[in-house]
Amino acid sequence: MKPTAWLALLAAATVSACAQPSPEQQIINDAAAALGGRDRIVAAKTLVIEGEGMNGNLGQDVTPEATSQAFNLTGYRRAIDVPAGRQRIEQTRTPNFPYFQGQQPQKQVLGVDGNVGYNVAANGTAARVADAAANDRRAEIYHHPLTIVRAALDPAAKATNPRTEGNQSLVDITIPGGQTLTLAIDGSTKLPARVVSRTSNTNLGDVVIETSFADYQDVNGLKLPARLTTKTDDYTTVDIRVATQTVDGDTGDLAAPAAAASAAPIAAPPPATVTVEDVAKGVWYLAGQSHHSVLVEFADHLTLIETPQNDTRALAVIAKARELRPDKPLTHVVMSHHHFDHSGGIRAAVSEGLTIIAQKAAAPLLEEVVKRPATIAPDALARNPQPLKLETVDEELVLTDKTMTVNLYHIAGNPHSDTLLMAYFPRERLLVEADVFNPGAAVSPYAANLGDNIKKRNLRIDRFVPLHAKIVPYAEFTKVVPATSTN
Ligand SMILES: [Zn+2]
Ligand SMILES: [Zn+2]
């Protein structure tokens, strides 16, 4: 070979080496090429997806492991304006299970516009959602092949940590604005297989949100998936079958409604308000907001029924209990059932050293919840780790000493949840229960089964002490379930 040829070859090799994309860039380039090419992707500004599907019922099914309850979705429409940072999902959801609000279809609008997340109620009223929810919705914009690859192609985006998992190539993408998501592409087709992000869940601590893509089809010169399935860890929360999708079509107005845009940001759950109502000697109703608790005084210790919702509510209720009877230690919490709104304060209760009493089918969830890390939004238990102290109840457990008796009974066979405990005070003729009888509710789909359980146990009740609503005489229950009066 002549020297000039050597030089030419060397030059070509050098150019090739310089032009060789980094492994992380290669994954993005491969995905872009598979989807329809860089130019076509960058030019795409909006996307409208219409179809139907389902929403899961994370944390609210009959048992912690159950997955049968879902909301069927019709009229699903997800409109995204990528450069504007806006997304709005409109859908009508219909529960496939006995739902506390009834089983009629319910229209929902779930939006995000920059930093403002909002919901629009069926009556048209818009409300701003918490910043944490808005943040999750901003991430959700990028849980789509077109939006994540488009963001990755932005020169201001940062791609790191290229790797392979099975047949997929993965790369982390930090998009302008700061959120980091993982893009996984199929090793053969190079099409995006999934997008993964991480967030914090009140009950579960750190969780992974993963959307997988399937059934790619040709849309306006792009390949886009017709099936999108989103999970929180292993639990399917959204599954969409796309009927039509449009790139750069009419999205409609995606701006946050004025009522939400002008509302103050919601950085944290609202401060807890804990009211105190004497129910009987040694029994207090700790209410004030949506989820109530009951404090019970024994001879040498105190027991709470329910530390609900989140750290804020649970710690406020615990503090109120200690304030009411500072001379006796608060030692136990009875959890009404595993549903996330009622168990959301369990990590806080464990951090305070309390022993949890729960129906045995809730035990695996409690064990899992207490050992999970919460590094993204460290909570009371993350700051003060404590072991779980758990006492389980199968069908019944009697808490008694010389001053107080409380019978805990499993509410068997209730369609709302199979981990429900009710607390019966035989001397005071009180029944504490959550969700299965909500005085004043428009529908009571779970009350008949509660009536069966009351009858089976032959309970003599003067007053219901519900963990929602307010204390009512037994007569209010017989209005709802007339056939089961035992009084
Ligand atoms: Zn519930
Ligand atoms: Zn409830």
Side-chain angles (χ1 to χ4, degrees):
M1 200 180 283
K2 287 193 265 179
T4 48
W6 276 109
L7 279 174
L9 200 62
L10 188 64
T14 308
V15 166
S16 159
C18 289
Q20 187 74 41
S22 62
E24 51 268 36
Q25 194 58 48
Q26 186 64 52
I27 296 170
I28 295 163
N29 292 352
D30 286 349
L35 288 176
R38 177 194 191 97
D39 293 346
R40 182 72 193 93
I41 292 165
V42 172
K45 300 287 192 291
T46 72
L47 174 66
V48 178
I49 298 166
E50 291 168 288
E52 56 184 23
M54 65 79 85
N55 277 167
N57 201 19
L58 174 65
Q60 306 294 111
D61 210 316
V62 172
T63 65
E65 300 77 27
T67 56
S68 64
Q69 293 189 347
F71 297 88
N72 293 320
L73 302 181
T74 51
Y76 176 89
R77 183 178 191 272
R78 175 184 177 191
I80 308 171
D81 182 330
V82 186
R86 290 171 172 168
Q87 172 177 278
R88 181 193 293 240
I89 293 172
E90 299 182 12
Q91 61 186 29
T92 297
R93 68 174 201 174
T94 307
N96 73 354
F97 60 98
Y99 190 53
F100 80 100
Q101 293 175 325
Q103 282 178 260
Q104 70 284 0
Q106 176 191 21
K107 197 169 182 330
Q108 294 185 309
V109 177
L110 316 164
V112 64
D113 176 0
N115 291 326
V116 179
Y118 63 91
N119 293 341
V120 183
N123 65 8
T125 308
R128 187 164 183 166
V129 301
D131 293 353
N135 206 40
D136 289 345
R137 291 180 190 182
R138 273 207 306 284
E140 189 183 12
I141 291 176
Y142 301 98
H143 278 240
H144 190 280
L146 179 61
T147 51
I148 187 67
V149 174
R150 190 179 186 282
L153 291 169
D154 188 319
K158 231 175 77 190
T160 54
N161 194 18
R163 57 202 186 273
T164 54
E165 277 180 22
N167 181 39
Q168 296 178 349
S169 300
L170 282 64
V171 59
D172 295 339
I173 296 159
T174 302
I175 59 177
Q179 289 183 317
T180 298
L181 303 96
T182 300
L183 167 68
I185 70 168
D186 184 271
S188 325
T189 66
K190 310 296 184 190
L191 288 166
R194 40 194 186 108
V195 168
V196 182
S197 56
R198 295 167 73 242
T199 189
S200 181
N201 177 287
T202 301
N203 292 64
L204 301 174
D206 301 347
V207 291
V208 167
I209 310 290
E210 175 184 288
T211 304
S212 52
F213 312 114
D215 300 347
Y216 273 88
Q217 54 183 212
D218 294 312
V219 181
N220 306 127
L222 289 162
K223 287 223 180 300
L224 300 179
R227 184 79 181 261
L228 300 92
T229 307
T230 301
K231 292 181 172 192
T232 295
D233 286 358
D234 292 330
Y235 193 93
T236 301
T237 52
V238 190
D239 188 17
I240 299 300
R241 299 178 301 276
V242 179
T244 59
Q245 43 191 339
T246 317
V247 176
D248 288 331
D250 181 16
T251 60
D253 182 7
L254 300 186
S262 62
I266 305 167
T273 305
V274 184
T275 58
V276 179
E277 182 180 342
D278 288 357
V279 184
K281 187 174 183 308
V283 185
W284 296 267
Y285 196 42
L286 306 183
Q289 284 161 318
S290 62
H291 290 63
H292 315 327
S293 303
V294 175
L295 176 64
V296 187
E297 181 178 8
F298 291 87
D300 63 356
H301 69 281
L302 305 172
T303 292
L304 264 173
I305 301 173
E306 208 82 309
T307 47
Q309 291 190 291
N310 49 41
D311 276 18
T312 303
R313 180 78 200 171
L315 294 173
V317 167
I318 289 168
K320 183 62 78 178
R322 289 173 172 156
E323 179 192 316
L324 277 167
R325 279 293 174 273
D327 51 326
K328 290 186 185 175
L330 174 64
T331 57
H332 293 73
V333 175
V334 178
M335 187 179 84
S336 69
H337 63 308
H338 76 282
H339 283 174
F340 276 12
D341 55 322
H342 289 267
S343 62
I346 288 298
R347 283 177 57 96
V350 171
S351 80
E352 290 290 312
L354 307 185
T355 296
I356 313 299
I357 301 174
Q359 210 280 329
K360 72 169 185 184
L365 177 75
L366 292 171
E367 278 153 15
E368 153 117 19
V369 153
V370 167
K371 72 175 186 226
R372 291 182 65 109
T375 61
I376 297 169
D379 60 3
L381 188 60
R383 289 191 294 273
N384 182 29
Q386 297 289 326
L388 173 64
K389 293 183 281 181
L390 178 64
E391 290 176 19
T392 60
V393 182
D394 187 352
E395 287 305 314
E396 62 177 282
L397 177 70
V398 180
L399 309 175
T400 188
D401 66 11
K402 63 182 190 290
T403 64
M404 178 61 70
T405 295
V406 181
N407 297 349
L408 301 178
Y409 295 122
H410 178 214
I411 306 179
N414 196 284
H416 181 68
S417 165
D418 200 31
T419 65
L420 280 156
L421 294 178
M422 56 183 173
Y424 177 61
F425 293 65
R427 189 161 47 221
E428 295 80 4
R429 293 169 60 114
L430 304 169
L431 188 74
V432 178
E433 53 76 30
D435 290 356
V436 287
F437 172 47
N438 295 323
V443 292
S444 301
Y446 321 119
N449 168 273
L450 174 62
D452 293 344
N453 277 275
I454 289 170
K455 207 172 189 175
K456 182 175 84 179
R457 301 283 181 185
N458 200 26
L459 308 184
R460 306 291 169 183
I461 301 164
D462 289 341
R463 284 177 293 165
F464 277 86
V465 184
L467 298 180
H468 295 294
K470 59 184 178 55
I471 298 172
V472 293
Y474 191 84
E476 291 300 311
F477 185 67
T478 53
K479 284 182 191 169
V480 175
V481 188
T484 55
S485 173
T486 61
N487 284 34

